[in-house]
Amino acid sequence: MYIQVTLNAKLQPMHRHDLEDALTEIFEKENIKAEITGGGTGQEKNGEIAYSDLEIALEEFSDEIIKQIINLLEKILAPKGSKVTIFSKDKNTESKVIKFGKHEGLGLYLSNDLDDNVYKECDVNVIYGEIQKLLEENNLGRIESYWEGQETALYLYGKSFDEIQNIIKPFLEEYPLCEKCRIVKIA
């Protein structure tokens, strides 16, 4: 039997693989008879990441094992709006969907319409480092992934969208590369 975990998380494939590796280690440590057999990344029409999937094969199926997997994901990364789909071996029986998730997400979209000097003098890595430091110091969450497309986006997940926004706001207001940035609630 297998389940599909759809995380309402904007994770690049390399970041989803990191999550898969961490989850595999935890399965082994916790003696959970489950194996990640696949995964995928859904995209929006513009190429931006929309969600991440994990396919997990279960040696044994029980509601308790599903609860354990959900609890583990909620400790690692489980944004609100995530779900587990349990597929039945019986083709006449509908799949069962369990919604879960407790983390909130903030998408920080940097403008690509600033003065050329700003791009020469500033570095997105400074933004990444400073925001990650602020999140860790305040035990609010972390940057889980990013996207470089029509805009550059950083995806932050943690306890509270509002608290994350409040803690990063002073930095965003002072760093020139953050001028005209957009903040979007993504989970």
Side-chain angles (χ1 to χ4, degrees):
M1 166 158 279
Y2 78 97
I3 62 171
Q4 180 175 322
V5 176
T6 302
L7 295 173
N8 185 25
K10 295 176 177 287
L11 300 176
Q12 285 194 40
M14 65 183 168
H15 299 127
R16 189 192 73 244
H17 289 293
D18 291 344
L19 178 65
E20 290 171 6
D21 291 345
L23 202 52
T24 297
E25 285 180 28
I26 294 169
F27 286 165
E28 289 172 11
K29 185 179 174 185
E30 299 290 324
N31 200 27
I32 296 172
K33 306 288 188 221
E35 178 185 2
I36 298 172
T37 57
T41 303
Q43 292 182 296
E44 306 285 353
K45 287 182 181 181
N46 67 357
E48 183 179 6
I49 301 155
Y51 60 87
S52 300
D53 281 333
L54 304 174
E55 187 175 292
I56 302 173
L58 303 174
E59 241 179 69
E60 303 169 14
F61 174 79
S62 72
D63 289 340
E64 187 57 38
I65 289 172
I66 300 299
K67 284 180 189 172
Q68 276 184 294
I69 291 171
I70 289 172
N71 287 337
L72 289 172
L73 285 165
E74 287 183 335
K75 289 179 184 172
I76 301 172
L77 175 64
K80 292 177 178 178
S82 297
K83 64 182 179 179
V84 172
T85 305
I86 302 167
F87 296 96
S88 173
K89 289 181 182 180
D90 178 2
K91 293 181 180 178
N92 296 321
T93 304
E94 284 191 38
S95 302
K96 179 180 175 183
V97 175
I98 301 169
K99 295 182 181 198
F100 72 101
K102 66 177 187 176
H103 299 105
E104 294 188 359
L106 182 148
L108 175 63
Y109 295 84
L110 303 176
S111 175
N112 59 5
D113 186 31
L114 301 176
D115 186 74
D116 287 342
N117 287 335
V118 172
Y119 298 108
K120 290 176 187 171
E121 296 169 8
C122 296
D123 185 350
V124 72
N125 293 310
V126 171
I127 297 170
Y128 189 102
E130 185 61 27
I131 289 175
Q132 187 69 13
K133 184 179 96 176
L134 289 167
L135 293 174
E136 288 173 4
E137 286 175 352
N138 293 279
N139 195 30
L140 288 176
R142 55 180 284 123
I143 299 172
E144 294 290 348
S145 196
Y146 59 87
W147 175 64
E148 294 175 292
Q150 297 166 339
E151 303 170 277
T152 297
L154 300 178
Y155 303 124
L156 294 62
Y157 293 94
K159 296 176 182 179
S160 163
F161 171 87
D162 291 332
E163 288 181 44
I164 291 171
Q165 183 175 6
N166 289 339
I167 205 73
I168 67 172
K169 188 176 180 183
F171 172 74
L172 298 180
E173 290 173 347
E174 74 180 32
Y175 196 67
L177 191 55
C178 298
E179 184 183 345
K180 298 183 187 177
C181 69
R182 295 185 303 119
I183 291 177
V184 177
K185 189 169 189 175
I186 56 175

